[in-house]
Amino acid sequence: MTVLLLGGCATANPGAEVPVETRITNALPAKTVQAAGETEAVATANADAADDPAIWRNPANPAASLIVGTDKKAGLYVYGLDGKTRDFVDAGRVNNVDLAVMGERIIVAASDRGDLANAQIALFALDGATAKLTPLGKVAAGAGEAYGICLYQAADALYAFMVVKDGTIRQVALDVSGATPAGKIVRTMKLGTQSEGCAVDPASARLYVAEEDVGLWRFDARADGPVDPVKIAAADGKAIVADAEGVAVADGYVVVSSQGDNAYAVYRLSDEAYVGRFRIAPGAFGSTEETDGIEIVAGDFGPAYPDGIMVAQDGMNAPRAQNFKLVRWGEVKAALGL
């Protein structure tokens, strides 16, 4: 996220010379929902720090599910659905995060920016009962600054898609069966400019990636698939106002953070048609602004979130440091008539 000053506040959109009012003139209308909860703020104050969340649904007790979130200046947090911090790991500069359930194990992967010249994947095991993260090790993911990451659990392997800051995307086959994790780059794809957010639809084996100033793209997620991108939506100031940032796939939809006007654009997976936009407005908890990472998981998460949960990074959470807002996914669908 590129930080600039506009009206005396930090904002995350390119082109400081363009006022917000001008940038959103052509933006399509957006419905509003309100957060049903929020996490405690990250410890890094007065900085662009919180970035990306991942959600683990506890199948035995959905209300005891967990959220993993990054403080990209310091490490990884684990939160309960009540927003309370359950664990913190001093993992350094981890930017984006995702997780996968492999049998009895919960594997967490984060894009590690500790070495700006060489991307790495930092891997952890999450204990669902204790909410504790255990570092497993790091896997090399090629040259460049690690930025976005998402996981794809295919029949043959667990894959990580490492989105390097310059738009290079490397698919890495992960092996977490041994004492030390290992990985192998199986193919490389490319977008033209800075990219970050990504998510995979496992049902269709499609990878969705946000190119910040350009829009939302689709790739074949299969290791032997074609590498050519297909453009889904432009960051043209209508449905998506640049930056295009976080990406989430759930419940038959792909959602992308329209960071430039504090909104979220929604597309149907079956035909990739635009179906609407929404914002998280002030209520019992604050609104969200300048959202980087998002995650959505459908299903029962207990009484507080009976129809699924969306977690969105909040870039302006004054007077506290940045945090993550929790939204009932069912309320989003109802607002958009989905």
Side-chain angles (χ1 to χ4, degrees):
M1 179 169 77
T2 303
V3 176
L4 53 91
L5 295 179
L6 193 151
C9 296
T11 181
N13 302 294
E17 73 283 355
V18 183
V20 170
E21 293 78 6
T22 300
R23 286 191 277 109
I24 67 173
T25 297
N26 296 320
L28 296 172
K31 302 292 186 180
T32 59
V33 297
Q34 295 180 344
E38 66 180 345
T39 68
E40 294 179 327
V42 299
T44 303
N46 302 313
D48 175 31
D51 197 277
D52 190 47
I55 302 168
W56 172 68
R57 181 181 178 275
N58 185 330
N61 182 6
S65 299
L66 300 170
I67 299 163
V68 180
T70 61
D71 177 338
K72 60 190 176 187
K73 309 291 186 182
L76 285 172
Y77 284 87
V78 181
Y79 304 100
L81 296 189
D82 60 359
K84 301 296 185 182
T85 300
R86 300 286 302 279
D87 193 24
F88 173 76
V89 174
D90 181 3
R93 299 183 63 197
V94 287
N95 196 56
N96 280 195
V97 66
D98 201 2
L99 60 81
V101 178
M102 303 183 68
E104 298 298 317
R105 303 181 74 197
I106 308 166
I107 301 298
V108 174
S111 52
D112 189 306
R113 302 168 72 187
D115 179 350
L116 297 183
N118 296 286
Q120 296 186 92
I121 301 168
L123 292 163
F124 306 82
L126 173 63
D127 187 318
T130 66
K132 300 300 182 184
L133 284 167
T134 301
L136 300 177
K138 297 181 181 182
V139 170
E145 182 179 349
Y147 221 45
I149 195 168
C150 52
L151 296 178
Y152 170 40
Q153 194 168 356
D156 62 329
L158 175 64
Y159 295 101
F161 290 98
M162 170 60 72
V163 182
V164 178
K165 193 171 185 179
D166 69 359
T168 301
I169 304 159
R170 299 190 183 98
Q171 185 168 1
V172 182
L174 298 175
D175 182 356
V176 294
S177 61
T180 302
K184 178 182 179 182
I185 298 172
V186 296
R187 64 176 184 151
T188 300
M189 297 162 282
K190 186 72 172 72
L191 293 173
T193 61
Q194 183 167 311
S195 306
E196 183 177 1
C198 69
V200 176
D201 173 31
S204 63
R206 289 177 170 178
L207 165 70
Y208 293 88
V209 183
E211 187 178 2
E212 294 186 1
D213 291 345
V214 179
L216 182 66
W217 297 87
R218 165 172 51 85
F219 292 89
D220 193 319
R222 296 172 297 179
D224 59 353
V227 298
D228 298 324
V230 176
K231 196 169 190 179
I232 303 304
D236 57 4
K238 296 179 181 179
I240 301 173
V241 180
D243 293 349
E245 284 279 349
V247 180
V249 168
D251 205 19
Y253 301 94
V254 55
V255 181
V256 58
S257 170
S258 172
Q259 193 183 75
D261 72 331
N262 305 327
Y264 309 89
V266 185
Y267 301 84
R268 189 168 46 234
L269 288 175
S270 60
D271 57 3
E272 294 170 337
Y274 167 77
V275 296
R277 285 162 32 96
F278 67 97
R279 290 189 176 91
I280 301 171
F285 301 91
S287 57
T288 57
E289 293 82 25
E290 301 173 3
T291 294
D292 283 327
I294 59 174
E295 182 62 293
I296 301 165
V297 177
D300 175 22
F301 279 81
Y305 302 93
D307 301 308
I309 187 170
M310 174 180 177
V311 180
Q313 183 260 5
D314 185 7
M316 296 178 67
N317 190 44
R320 298 170 297 159
Q322 295 177 346
N323 73 345
F324 300 90
K325 298 296 193 287
L326 283 60
V327 177
R328 296 184 180 102
W329 174 237
E331 292 185 1
V332 175
K333 293 177 67 178
L336 296 178
L338 302 180

